[in-house]
């Protein structure tokens, strides 16, 4: 199926899922366990459909970005001389590929508006600002809607960022930032996740001087690394973050005592929409975007991501940034 058709199908499925969510909330609950079970089944099914649709949309964009399904990439891989007609066909294919990438990026962006509305109204209903709900079971439904909406929004945002990086349209706004403050803010943003997972979260003393970086994008990359570390660390384990200075570079390092990875698994984990095939991975949500996006954001700053991991021995990931002004690399 063409990439454009896959994206259109995914968008239609997301719309249908949102309509189903609204129906699940609006219909009367009724009495008895059967009615309760039916409503919960509707909500759960709708959320699953929405998340699956977003993943399908992301795969459509990811394949175009990585060149898995683009005729232009296959043609450009061979730099041998071509006939004028073939060169014209190649140029048309490349133009079509760029147009599709822009369309998918725009559609992904448009999905954020209804998702923000779903999350916002769910939170408004949960707060009961206009009075209590007639049946308390609705609170459970709305809570599921809000949680699912936030998860779907996170997937859409990550997919949009990857698409923008692939199209070369994600621009940094660097300024002088304090590594210690960045580390503290990132740790605070995942503190609730660490507490729920029963994982110790520690902030190591940061000795690095100020560095030029886009604070929002840097925090996004480090938060992704922290979230992954917590996700794959068993209860009772430990995750830590800190920043150090060495030989004109600043290293933001995230370490954990989690399950670890082999070198081949690291290569898989760095590819968008790829997940390591293990029982630990299958017990957690996500679609394999956190680490690839973090790696690309660090490279956009002119830095690199260094990963040291071994199975059963935990993982240490260092985001290395140069002290000189950040510069953007070509991600296309």
């Amino acid at each position: 199926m063409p990439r454009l058709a896959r994206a259109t199908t995914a968008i239609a499925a997301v719309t249908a899922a949102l309509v189903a969510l609204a129906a699940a909330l609006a219909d009367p609950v009724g009495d008895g366990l059967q009615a309760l079970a039916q409503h919960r089944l509707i909500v759960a099914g709708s959320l699953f459909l929405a998340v699956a649709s977003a993943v399908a949309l992301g795969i459509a964009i990811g394949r175009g970005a990585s060149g898995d399904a683009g005729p232009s990439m296959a043609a450009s891989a061979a730099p041998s001389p071509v006939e004028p007609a073939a060169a014209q066909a190649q140029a048309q294919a490349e133009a079509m590929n760029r147009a599709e990438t822009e369309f998918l990026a725009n559609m992904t962006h448009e999905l954020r508006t209804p998702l923000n509305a779903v999350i916002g109204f769910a939170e408004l209903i949960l707060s009961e600002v206009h009075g209590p709900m007639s049946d308390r079971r609705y609170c459970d439904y709305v809570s599921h809607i809000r949680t699912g909406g936030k998860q779907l929004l996170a997937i859409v945002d990550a997919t949009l960022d990857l698409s923008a990086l692939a199209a070369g349209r994600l621009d940094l706004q660097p300024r002088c930032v304090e590594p210690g403050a960045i580390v503290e803010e990132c740790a605070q943003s995942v503190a609730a996740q660490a507490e729920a997972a029963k994982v110790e979260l520690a902030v190591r003393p940061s000795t690095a001087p100020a560095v030029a970086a886009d604070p929002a994008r840097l925090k996004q990359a480090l938060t992704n690394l922290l979230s992954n570390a917590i996700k794959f660390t068993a209860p009772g384990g430990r995750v830590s973050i800190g920043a150090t200075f060495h030989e004109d570079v600043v290293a933001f390092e995230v370490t954990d005592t989690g399950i670890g990875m082999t070198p081949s698994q690291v290569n898989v984990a760095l590819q968008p929409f790829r997940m390591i095939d293990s029982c630990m991975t299958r017990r957690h949500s996500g679609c394999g975007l956190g680490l690839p996006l973090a790696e690309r954001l660090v490279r956009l700053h002119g830095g690199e991501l260094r990963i040291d991991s071994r199975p059963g021995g935990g993982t240490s990931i260092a985001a290395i940034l140069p002290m000189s002004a950040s510069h953007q690399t070509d991600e296309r």
Side-chain angles (χ1 to χ4, degrees):
M1 181 184 294
R3 188 156 55 97
L4 212 54
R6 288 197 303 268
T8 303
T9 302
I11 293 168
V14 171
T15 303
L18 295 178
V19 172
L21 286 176
L25 180 62
D27 288 342
V29 175
D31 298 322
L33 293 176
Q34 184 177 2
L36 178 61
Q38 288 176 346
H39 275 264
R40 287 189 172 179
L41 183 61
I42 291 173
V43 172
S46 302
L47 292 177
F48 175 80
L49 176 61
V51 173
S53 303
V55 172
L57 178 60
I59 291 174
I61 295 176
R63 284 180 176 175
S66 62
D68 292 342
S72 62
M73 291 298 185
S76 62
S80 58
V82 293
E83 297 296 328
Q88 183 178 2
Q90 178 180 341
Q92 290 176 347
E94 290 176 348
M96 179 67 71
N97 191 59
R98 286 194 299 270
E100 288 184 4
T101 299
E102 291 181 3
F103 170 80
L104 293 172
N106 290 335
M107 287 299 98
T108 306
H109 182 76
E110 290 299 322
L111 282 173
R112 300 184 76 256
T113 300
L115 280 173
N116 281 323
V118 169
I119 296 170
F121 281 114
E123 292 178 343
L124 188 66
I125 295 171
L126 280 175
S127 63
E128 298 181 313
V129 293
H130 299 300
M133 285 183 277
S134 58
D135 193 305
R136 302 307 301 174
R137 286 175 290 188
Y138 277 129
C139 290
D140 188 30
Y141 304 155
V142 178
S143 179
H144 283 300
I145 292 173
R146 180 182 61 179
T147 301
K150 286 184 175 180
Q151 291 175 347
L152 182 55
L153 182 61
I155 294 173
V156 169
D157 283 342
T159 304
L160 178 62
D161 287 339
L162 280 174
S163 177
L165 282 166
R169 301 195 317 182
L170 198 154
D171 297 324
L172 296 179
Q173 299 182 16
R175 60 184 180 86
C176 189
V177 298
E178 292 293 337
I182 294 291
V183 165
E184 289 285 352
E185 292 178 21
C186 291
Q188 290 175 6
S189 68
V190 298
Q193 179 188 354
E195 183 178 0
K198 296 180 173 58
V199 171
E200 178 189 357
L201 178 61
V203 177
R204 301 190 302 275
S206 298
T207 59
V211 63
D214 184 323
R217 294 303 181 181
L218 179 58
K219 284 188 286 187
Q220 181 182 5
L222 296 178
T223 301
N224 283 351
L225 297 180
L226 280 172
S227 180
N228 272 358
I230 295 170
K231 185 186 301 183
F232 298 112
T233 299
R238 187 175 189 269
V239 173
S240 65
I241 182 174
T244 58
F245 173 70
H246 181 66
E247 295 183 356
D248 296 328
V249 298
V250 173
F252 295 86
E253 188 176 17
V254 175
T255 61
D256 64 64
T257 59
I259 60 175
M261 298 178 285
T262 64
S264 61
Q265 288 175 328
V266 171
N267 291 333
V268 171
L270 286 171
Q271 300 176 33
F273 309 105
R274 295 289 302 277
M275 300 183 71
I276 299 172
D277 188 15
S278 70
C279 60
M280 188 71 171
T281 301
R282 296 181 187 277
R283 289 202 298 266
H284 296 86
S285 60
C287 58
L289 292 177
L291 187 58
L293 182 56
E295 193 263 345
R296 284 158 175 77
L297 288 174
V298 171
R299 276 199 289 147
L300 196 65
H301 282 83
E304 62 175 317
L305 208 63
R306 297 178 185 172
I307 303 177
D308 180 17
S309 182
R310 64 182 187 276
T315 301
S316 175
I317 303 181
I320 310 295
L321 298 186
M323 285 297 297
S324 59
S326 301
H327 61 280
Q328 298 184 24
T329 58
D330 190 354
E331 293 288 334
R332 287 170 288 183

